[in-house]
Amino acid sequence: MNIMTLLPFIVLIGAMFLMTRSAKKKQQAAVQMRNEMQPGTGIRTIGGMYATVKEIHDDTVLLEVAPGVHALYAKNAVGAVLPDDEYNRIIDGAEKGTVVPDDLSSLTGASAVNDADDDTTGKGDAAEKIDLGKEAPAEKADADEPKADAAPAEDADAKAAEAKDAKKDGGADAK
């Protein structure tokens, strides 16, 4: 056989060997990281939840996800063991700039002051009304009523014109 015919197969087998070798190294590093966990360490799960290790078993880990709240996870669910300073920085909320505010004041421009006297709706902060360019129902009703001082002939013409406009706008008589 010619060496040139076997060369592509040799290169392909070598590339597969290198790829599996690097994947095995990453897998071994993850297993070593999970085995080095100690109770009291802060971790991040593969789902992105931060917790503190309470107990370590063969294939499982007991995590404290909130004060007094414990959950049992598989060891494989641990995504990263975090250094104490990084874990404390994340949990204590040192990243205040990325936190979304609880009220809508930053979005609506309304004041975030919540006085019990000003709260007439009982639903929290009173938001400012935003003009969306629509008429209020009372203003619309006034516009639809014919004027009382109009002559009867003009009144009939006005009603016909309003009916025609309603059909154009998709009113009840449009069908």
Side-chain angles (χ1 to χ4, degrees), residues 46-163:
I46 57 174
M49 182 179 66
Y50 294 93
T52 305
V53 177
K54 287 297 175 186
E55 296 177 10
I56 300 172
H57 303 286
D58 292 335
D59 293 331
T60 59
V61 179
L62 184 67
L63 300 177
E64 185 176 29
V65 295
V69 180
H70 297 90
L72 190 64
Y73 276 79
K75 270 189 179 179
N76 292 341
V78 175
V81 177
L82 304 172
D84 288 338
D85 58 339
E86 182 180 356
Y87 179 75
N88 291 333
R89 180 182 57 84
I90 291 169
I91 296 300
D92 292 339
E95 302 170 339
K96 294 289 186 196
T98 59
V99 176
V100 177
D102 288 342
D103 61 352
L104 297 176
S105 62
S106 64
L107 302 174
T108 61
S111 173
V113 176
N114 187 9
D115 295 333
D117 298 334
D118 293 341
D119 192 11
T120 57
T121 61
K123 296 180 182 177
D125 293 340
E128 295 177 12
K129 288 187 177 181
I130 300 173
D131 182 22
L132 298 176
K134 295 184 178 181
E135 293 181 53
E139 293 172 1
K140 187 175 181 183
D142 291 342
D144 290 341
E145 292 179 9
K147 295 183 179 180
D149 60 343
E154 292 176 4
D155 190 30
D157 291 339
K159 284 185 181 180
E162 286 179 17

